[in-house]
Amino acid sequence: GGYPKTEEVISFVRGEREGGKLSIEANTTSRNHDMTEPENLDEGLYSRQLYVLGHDAMRKMGATSVFISGMKGLGVEIAKNVVLAGMKSVTIHDGDKIEKKHLSSQFFFREGDIGKNCAEVASHRLAELNSYVKVEVKEGSVTRESVGAGGYQVVVLTEASLEEQKEIGDFCHENGICFVVADTKGLFGQIFCDFGESFMMSDSTGEQPVSCMVAEISKEKESVVMCSDEARHNLQTGDVITFKEVQGMVEVNGREFTIKELGPFAFSIGDTTEFSQYLRGGIVTEVKKPKSITFKKFTASLDQPEFLLSDFAKFDRPGQLHIAFMALHRFVKEEGRLPAPYNKADAVKLLTIAKDVNENAACKVEELDERLVMKFAYVASGDVSPMQAVIGSITAQEVIKACTGKFHPLMQWFYFDALECLPEEFHELPAVAVEAKDTRYDCQAAIFGWDLQKKLEKFKVFLVGAGAIGCELLKNFAMMGVGASPEGSVYVTDMDIIEKSNLNRQFLFRPWHIQKAKSTTACDSAKDMNPSFNAIAHLNRVGPDTEDVYDDAFFESLDCVTNALDNVDARLYMDRRCVYYRKPLLESGTLGTKGNVQVIIPHLTESYGSSHDPPEKSIPMCTLKNFPNVIEHTLQWARNAFAEHFVQPGDNVNQYLSDPKFIQRTLKIQGMQPMETLSQVKKSLVTSRPSSFAACVSWAKHLFHESFHNTIAQLLFNFPSDHLTTSGQLFWSGPKRCPKAIMCDVNDQLHLDFVAAAAILFAETYGITPVKDRDVIKAEAEKVKLPAFVPQSGVVIHTTESEAQASASASSDQDELQTVVSLIPSVESLKGFKMFPLEFEKDDDSNYHMDFIVAASNLRASNYSIEHADRHKSKFIAGKIIPAIATTTSLVVGLVCLELYKICSGHKKIESFKNGFMNLALPFFGFSEPIPAPKNKYYDTEWTLWDRFDINGVNPDGSEMTLKEFMDYFKNNYKLEISMLSYDVSILYSFFMNKAKVEDRMKMAMSEVAQVASKKKVPPGVKNLVLDICCSDDKDEDVDVPYVKYSFK
């Protein structure tokens, strides 16, 4: 497939025919791994997917064999996602030979493969995706006997006749094999699922069980459980919960109760009159109960279908398409082919068949939508990559559900169409516009015609990001022919390199690509799929620093921008650039099984930045410091400790050594920061500076003692366990958990984990070679004697957030500051010395970063009797990992590319475009029109965020407009009086500005005023200034107006 196949990476291919199967072994060592064993699960590879599915589901997949029939565009999309997910084995089947038209959506076929068997060619490239999955080829036809003998847990049919679907479907139902049908016809798709008579679903949503703290439990017939008012309980009537750590009413601990919701902070568990009186404490946690689901077999469901809606605006569409697909099966049976593209006679015949099918169907629709059936016939022979991505990814997720019981299955029929991609003023295309030309794009032209195909090939797209979404976009672009000509192009930028955890969903990468640049590797892989694809790789971060690369000329040449980003700041930046240059933007994102697509069209829709997510909830300072009550608090505390001990000291010391004005600048900072920073520098260079690794071990043991014993002992000295508040309530109650101090004992593995990791990391920051032998570290630690703790009177411990913030903003004592400064060694005395601050990296298991985080967090959890978190969970929370799975990524990208067809076609109506929201776990699909750009008004002129004042600042004589001329221009042309004018963050003019300064600036050219006000030169390549103005109308009323694009070159 164009990928390098070196001996170190892949022992490929052993093709031995055994019992009608071709066995593909891409790495025999890995394939003998039993993933059903916990220790054999490759967490480095499956890291992000594990946070979606969990270890139990992954182990079940590792014991599952899947059969997929049909290896064209849809079948390979399903197989790709299933192989990436990590099944035990995937057997594929397709008796056809590869034709050129199959290249329209089968991304693992190459022109050189034409004439070869579809399944055999696909198998080799599928095997490269995941060395833990055995990929086999099934030869011959698909029969009840061959399916029964295969030992498959899941069977998937694509491109199958209705007779095959009925025969194999009912056989699977009778024999306890999960059965899935998937099909696409042009812009229409179909999925059917049957997981048997009693399918056990372990978790319907995949969401974390709800947990909250108990404030009160009443003792009565209809009890009331009050939760802490810090957060809503998010429970519903019928949910099952359990209690722990309740004091007084101990009978509820460990028992399960079905609740009745009484409000956002209260619920009932029924009669509690027989229980003891509630005293305090307690945590309530939701219990997820397995649920049995019954499916109808295929033939029964065909007559009595249950539909999952794909679009609430198309409420009646599933029933219509159910009939249309059945009619199409009969058409193919009679004619031996699909209806020809836009062939009126074929369409009329299909409509006649559809009417007959409907008339005799048990699931008859009241009125057949004849126009819909005709369109269905016109495009049924088409085959486009985005549709295969949408239907293939949903199907693959259903396969994962079938073998794991994780998430709610699709019940039982699903129909999807993308008719909005066709021209807004629909008309039948002439035969010459859609005729086959023996090219890879024949099946796409069969839907849209050759005119759109030529436009796609000349399209210029900027793809920002080459991660999971970026890889899927490049695959689809290559299949669609986007930018696949000398006149077209797809620019791809990403500054990241490939890591092992990327391989599970960024499917253009292979193990031998690790540590290579994402953008160049992804572009090379996509060009391998379509040699005409003009993908140009960059390694730049998008932002103000690269505006000399992505300048006016670059953006003005583009037709569209697609974001494949993983952070909001970069998304907002690209959104602003697209608004400024008035370019369409296709925005998408995923979070586990959830995904969204947003279409941003100039002058039509709002922009990405028009709406904002609520800010991320931060943990109060006093909670982190003194009153943690959940593992998230202790993990954040551990992350802060990592920065405090291994990042900030090195950064500060190195700044002190390299910047002569470091102390001077630090002293000017407000609050307590100067004291904290300079004390840290003094400590790092004097009191804590180690001379050997033994000193690092000593430091680590003292850090343990200070963090987990002394601090807690002091807290309990100030607030003993029976301490009462001024209102007579117990201080240690509600969210405040009473802690206990821990003495360091290196015979305890957790204690030694902390000391070893802290010593090693501390040594690294000083360039001291660490000893990593635990026995040596333990022996060294045992020599270290710890001083006895003596509580101090007068120590202030903040119990509220306001107290903590007030303390942080208090000023440092100047005399103390000067004393600290005087104790810092001079730079001259430290010649040749530097520190090595660490950069937190969660995915390297050999660097001791996560070892420190896990040990520190769990020790603090022990202080406060909080349940420990294992390394996997700790990495997820502390590393702020975004859970991800290939299926969701493939789905959102398929939907993005359907919107790209509309942009390229020149759609103008807002109702033609679709924003999408989906959750494959539920499953839920919601589509809506984009929100129109909000309208503003000055005088009678309406404007939106897409509008601006375009001012040409070059006068006829070649001179540049002065500030006075600029002000007069608005007064004379728009009857607007400018009261304030700004550029970037600098004010060029305001009504309250010094009069002499105003007079001086009025005579200056606008670009000169900008340079004087901002105190920096306008970069040479910049031809335009973006100016913001505040104005009043002729009635002296303030009015909102657009910004100004001022051209001065």
Side-chain angles (χ1 to χ4, degrees):
Y3 301 113
K5 297 176 176 66
T6 58
E7 288 300 315
E8 298 81 43
V9 177
I10 191 161
S11 45
F12 208 139
V13 170
R14 192 190 80 205
E16 295 175 9
R17 295 186 182 278
E18 298 168 356
K21 291 183 180 179
L22 177 69
S23 180
I24 306 301
E25 295 292 345
N27 182 325
T28 52
T29 307
S30 297
R31 292 186 192 289
N32 292 331
H33 245 44
D34 181 3
M35 272 204 346
T36 60
E37 295 299 322
E39 65 274 11
N40 288 339
L41 192 61
D42 189 340
E43 292 196 3
L45 175 66
Y46 294 116
S47 162
R48 305 308 185 259
Q49 183 177 287
L50 269 166
Y51 294 117
V52 181
L53 299 174
H55 284 78
D56 186 52
M58 287 296 303
R59 284 191 284 274
K60 286 177 181 174
M61 283 198 292
T64 298
S65 296
V66 177
F67 174 78
I68 303 171
S69 177
M71 269 299 116
K72 312 299 189 307
L74 178 58
V76 78
E77 182 66 45
I78 298 166
K80 177 258 286 182
N81 289 318
V82 167
V83 169
L84 287 171
M87 300 294 162
K88 177 185 178 183
S89 70
V90 176
T91 302
I92 60 174
H93 163 267
D94 195 318
D96 293 345
K97 298 278 189 259
I98 297 170
E99 299 174 41
K100 201 161 197 177
K101 66 179 183 180
H102 297 149
L103 303 182
S104 63
S105 66
Q106 220 293 11
F107 45 84
F108 281 157
F109 290 168
R110 308 289 179 259
E111 293 211 12
D113 297 325
I114 290 170
K116 298 176 185 176
N117 174 263
C118 289
E120 289 194 15
V121 170
S123 64
H124 300 302
R125 295 184 177 116
L126 285 166
E128 290 179 345
L129 291 173
N130 192 337
S131 62
Y132 294 112
V133 179
K134 189 173 187 179
V135 178
E136 299 180 315
V137 174
K138 164 79 176 66
E139 297 180 333
S141 57
V142 181
T143 63
R144 297 163 69 100
E145 292 72 28
S146 65
V147 167
Y152 310 118
Q153 282 75 47
V154 188
V155 168
V156 183
L157 298 186
T158 70
E159 309 170 61
S161 68
L162 188 58
E163 287 69 28
E164 286 176 311
Q165 292 173 4
K166 287 178 178 177
E167 182 186 358
I168 302 301
D170 286 5
F171 173 81
C172 287
H173 188 88
E174 290 154 13
N175 289 274
I177 301 168
C178 296
F179 177 66
V180 182
V181 170
D183 218 343
T184 59
K185 292 291 179 278
L187 296 174
F188 297 84
Q190 172 196 56
I191 302 172
F192 167 79
C193 294
D194 168 17
F195 298 166
E197 292 284 346
S198 54
F199 176 75
M200 289 306 295
M201 175 182 65
S202 60
D203 181 358
S204 63
T205 66
E207 301 295 332
Q208 286 295 314
V210 171
S211 185
C212 54
M213 284 179 289
V214 178
E216 182 65 51
I217 306 175
S218 67
K219 189 175 175 180
E220 53 186 322
K221 284 274 187 193
E222 282 296 316
S223 64
V224 177
V225 179
M226 293 298 298
C227 294
S228 164
D229 58 6
E230 286 188 351
R232 295 165 178 262
H233 58 61
N234 293 322
L235 292 163
Q236 297 176 344
T237 297
D239 285 348
V240 178
I241 57 96
T242 186
F243 292 94
K244 65 179 180 180
E245 299 181 18
V246 171
Q247 295 180 36
M249 197 180 283
V250 293
E251 296 89 345
V252 299
N253 288 329
R255 279 186 59 175
E256 291 183 358
F257 296 90
T258 301
I259 70 120
K260 178 183 173 185
E261 185 191 354
L262 300 176
F265 303 101
F267 59 86
S268 176
I269 56 169
D271 189 353
T272 56
T273 53
E274 299 298 314
F275 300 157
S276 309
Q277 193 68 38
Y278 173 82
L279 288 178
R280 59 175 166 174
I283 295 170
V284 60
T285 305
E286 179 190 10
V287 179
K288 295 210 171 190
K289 292 295 211 181
K291 182 182 175 186
S292 179
I293 300 175
T294 302
F295 289 80
K296 293 176 194 166
K297 66 181 179 180
F298 184 86
T299 48
S301 188
L302 194 67
D303 291 336
Q304 296 177 308
E306 180 182 346
F307 298 121
L308 171 69
L309 267 182
S310 64
D311 188 338
F312 292 100
K314 301 175 180 179
F315 193 76
D316 62 340
R317 191 69 55 90
Q320 299 280 345
L321 292 180
H322 193 65
I323 299 295
F325 268 88
M326 284 196 282
L328 186 65
H329 280 294
R330 195 200 292 181
F331 181 100
V332 172
K333 191 176 179 182
E334 292 176 9
E335 298 291 325
R337 61 174 176 82
L338 289 164
Y342 293 91
N343 183 294
K344 191 79 176 267
D346 282 358
V348 169
K349 173 156 189 181
L350 181 68
L351 178 59
T352 304
I353 294 172
K355 286 178 178 176
D356 183 57
V357 168
N358 188 48
E359 202 56 45
N360 296 292
C363 54
K364 178 181 177 180
V365 296
E366 206 168 298
E367 188 177 344
L368 195 66
D369 187 336
E370 296 187 8
R371 288 184 65 196
L372 177 69
V373 176
M374 293 288 280
K375 286 182 182 178
F376 181 63
Y378 288 152
V379 302
S381 62
D383 170 14
V384 289
S385 183
M387 280 299 299
Q388 314 298 20
V390 171
I391 298 301
S393 55
I394 299 169
T395 305
Q397 189 66 55
E398 293 308 307
V399 172
I400 293 169
K401 292 175 187 178
C403 59
T404 63
K406 182 90 174 184
F407 309 137
H408 201 295
L410 187 157
M411 302 294 291
Q412 277 186 263
W413 290 92
F414 177 80
Y415 288 96
F416 174 84
D417 73 82
L419 281 179
E420 297 81 10
C421 294
L422 295 173
E424 288 177 319
E425 304 304 324
F426 179 75
H427 57 278
E428 293 157 19
L429 294 173
V432 69
V434 293
E435 68 180 350
K437 296 183 178 181
D438 192 32
T439 78
R440 66 182 305 130
Y441 306 121
D442 281 3
C443 290
Q444 185 162 264
I447 298 173
F448 300 112
W450 287 105
D451 286 348
L452 181 66
Q453 185 58 49
K454 285 173 191 164
K455 283 185 188 174
L456 283 167
E457 289 172 43
K458 292 177 181 176
F459 224 49
K460 285 188 169 71
V461 177
F462 186 25
L463 168 54
V464 190
I469 289 175
C471 283
E472 291 287 343
L473 281 166
L474 282 169
K475 174 256 285 183
N476 281 282
F477 289 170
M479 295 295 96
M480 295 159 68
V482 175
S485 72
E487 299 98 319
S489 53
V490 175
Y491 299 95
V492 185
T493 190
D494 195 313
M495 65 287 174
D496 279 356
I497 58 168
I498 298 160
E499 297 172 1
K500 185 181 179 182
S501 64
N502 300 150
L503 304 182
N504 178 236
R505 64 201 182 285
Q506 300 175 20
F507 89 108
L508 297 182
F509 307 142
R510 301 290 178 270
W512 52 86
H513 293 141
I514 289 171
Q515 292 303 301
K516 291 185 178 179
K518 283 187 176 181
S519 58
T520 51
T521 306
C523 286
D524 289 346
S525 298
K527 285 179 192 173
D528 188 49
M529 294 175 174
N530 180 354
S532 301
F533 185 41
N534 189 14
I536 301 161
H538 293 181
L539 302 172
N540 304 315
R541 183 190 298 273
V542 291
D545 295 346
T546 53
E547 285 180 8
D548 57 332
V549 179
Y550 306 120
D551 55 10
D552 293 356
F554 175 81
F555 268 97
E556 283 159 8
S557 72
L558 297 175
D559 294 301
C560 182
V561 176
T562 51
N563 274 351
L565 291 159
D566 61 359
N567 69 88
V568 172
D569 289 343
R571 284 184 164 107
L572 287 169
Y573 173 79
M574 285 309 301
D575 180 60
R576 290 194 296 272
R577 297 295 272 171
C578 289
V579 169
Y580 177 73
Y581 290 106
R582 294 166 172 167
K583 298 295 175 184
L585 172 64
L586 292 169
E587 171 59 61
S588 58
T590 69
L591 178 69
T593 57
K594 303 183 187 85
N596 76 285
V597 175
Q598 184 178 358
V599 194
I600 294 130
I601 306 293
H603 305 292
L604 201 61
T605 71
E606 68 172 13
S607 74
Y608 174 79
S610 299
S611 54
H612 302 282
D613 290 332
E616 201 175 319
K617 202 172 178 184
S618 60
I619 304 167
M621 206 186 305
C622 64
T623 301
L624 273 182
K625 221 168 174 188
N626 300 312
F627 310 117
N629 52 62
V630 290
I631 200 69
E632 285 80 2
H633 297 163
T634 68
L635 280 162
Q636 185 58 54
W637 179 89
R639 273 299 304 269
N640 293 353
F642 184 94
E644 182 187 340
H645 300 301
F646 311 123
V647 182
Q648 293 160 3
D651 282 341
N652 290 333
V653 165
N654 290 347
Q655 279 187 56
Y656 167 65
L657 296 173
S658 61
D659 180 1
K661 294 186 177 177
F662 173 75
I663 289 180
Q664 190 181 332
R665 282 190 297 99
T666 304
L667 289 170
K668 288 180 181 174
I669 300 170
Q670 296 296 309
M672 295 300 293
Q673 196 179 330
M675 177 61 81
E676 289 167 6
T677 303
L678 296 173
S679 295
Q680 197 176 62
V681 171
K682 186 208 78 165
K683 205 172 174 184
S684 300
L685 292 174
V686 184
T687 49
S688 295
R689 183 176 171 181
S691 56
S692 64
F693 184 67
C696 296
V697 174
S698 175
W699 174 89
K701 189 171 179 183
H702 279 88
L703 178 65
F704 182 110
H705 193 55
E706 182 59 36
S707 303
F708 308 114
H709 182 273
N710 294 359
T711 305
I712 301 299
Q714 183 66 52
L715 182 60
L716 288 169
F717 176 76
N718 281 38
F719 305 107
S721 59
D722 56 357
H723 185 76
L724 299 178
T725 64
T726 51
S727 61
Q729 298 292 312
L730 273 169
F731 179 83
W732 296 107
S733 61
K736 290 189 177 75
R737 300 172 71 87
C738 187
K740 58 180 183 290
I742 301 171
M743 285 297 292
C744 185
D745 175 7
V746 288
N747 291 307
D748 185 308
Q749 288 304 306
L750 182 59
H751 295 207
L752 184 57
D753 286 347
F754 178 86
V755 172
I760 290 165
L761 297 179
F762 191 61
E764 286 177 359
T765 65
Y766 282 92
I768 294 170
T769 303
V771 176
K772 296 183 179 180
D773 186 315
R774 285 173 69 91
D775 290 335
V776 172
I777 294 171
K778 181 183 174 185
E780 201 60 52
E782 284 173 336
K783 297 176 192 173
V784 178
K785 302 299 177 199
L786 297 170
F789 171 72
V790 179
Q792 294 176 291
S793 299
V795 173
V796 177
I797 294 176
H798 306 298
T799 60
T800 66
E801 185 64 359
S802 56
E803 286 177 13
Q805 288 176 349
S807 171
S809 59
S811 296
S812 307
D813 183 283
Q814 292 304 309
D815 291 339
E816 278 186 51
L817 262 178
Q818 290 308 319
T819 304
V820 170
V821 170
S822 69
L823 294 172
I824 297 174
S826 66
V827 174
E828 291 73 27
S829 68
L830 295 163
K831 270 196 175 149
F833 174 78
K834 72 167 184 174
M835 287 186 69
F836 303 89
L838 305 181
E839 189 174 333
F840 179 66
E841 174 48 64
K842 61 188 175 292
D843 287 320
D844 180 354
D845 286 338
S846 67
N847 64 9
Y848 287 88
H849 294 193
M850 279 308 303
D851 297 71
F852 176 83
I853 297 292
V854 174
S857 170
N858 285 337
L859 283 164
R860 188 153 174 87
S862 295
N863 282 143
Y864 286 89
S865 305
I866 296 168
E867 193 175 327
H868 288 192
D870 62 17
R871 188 184 186 91
H872 180 70
K873 183 177 179 180
S874 298
K875 186 192 283 192
F876 175 61
I877 298 167
K880 298 185 176 173
I881 289 175
I882 305 294
I885 190 167
T887 48
T888 317
T889 307
S890 179
L891 171 58
V892 298
V893 169
L895 295 170
V896 163
C897 291
L898 290 173
E899 298 306 309
L900 188 75
Y901 284 132
K902 302 172 189 177
I903 291 169
C904 193
S905 298
H907 284 31
K908 302 291 181 206
K909 297 175 183 173
I910 199 164
E911 58 268 24
S912 299
F913 296 95
K914 294 278 185 183
N915 284 351
F917 308 90
M918 64 247 35
N919 186 341
L920 285 172
L922 300 177
F924 167 81
F925 303 91
F927 295 94
S928 63
E929 287 175 19
I931 298 171
K935 290 181 179 175
N936 299 290
K937 200 172 182 181
Y938 66 92
Y939 294 121
D940 293 326
T941 303
E942 282 192 337
W943 62 278
T944 71
L945 62 101
W946 297 100
D947 294 305
R948 63 182 177 227
F949 295 108
D950 283 293
I951 308 293
N952 179 10
V954 182
N955 293 320
D957 63 359
S959 64
E960 190 191 336
M961 186 183 274
T962 64
L963 176 57
K964 185 175 189 317
E965 288 170 335
F966 181 87
M967 307 271 286
D968 291 344
Y969 180 88
F970 274 86
K971 199 167 188 176
N972 299 331
N973 289 278
Y974 300 107
K975 295 191 289 182
L976 293 171
E977 186 84 41
I978 295 176
S979 55
M980 190 179 294
L981 171 66
S982 61
Y983 162 66
D984 198 13
V985 293
S986 306
I987 295 175
L988 309 191
Y989 164 82
S990 72
F991 66 92
F992 53 76
M993 193 177 271
N994 178 284
K995 199 171 182 182
K997 190 187 278 189
V998 169
E999 286 176 6
D1000 283 347
R1001 290 188 179 181
M1002 283 292 183
K1003 300 168 194 168
M1004 294 181 193
M1006 285 292 290
S1007 60
E1008 189 185 350
V1009 179
Q1011 291 184 133
V1012 168
S1014 64
K1015 296 178 182 167
K1016 57 185 179 186
K1017 287 191 174 182
V1018 175
V1022 173
K1023 300 175 184 175
N1024 309 299
L1025 300 178
V1026 176
L1027 307 170
D1028 289 307
I1029 54 175
C1030 296
C1031 297
S1032 55
D1033 59 17
D1034 52 12
K1035 294 177 183 169
D1036 206 27
E1037 297 282 340
D1038 289 342
V1039 286
D1040 285 331
V1041 294
Y1043 70 95
V1044 179
K1045 180 187 175 187
Y1046 173 78
S1047 305
F1048 63 97
K1049 286 183 184 176

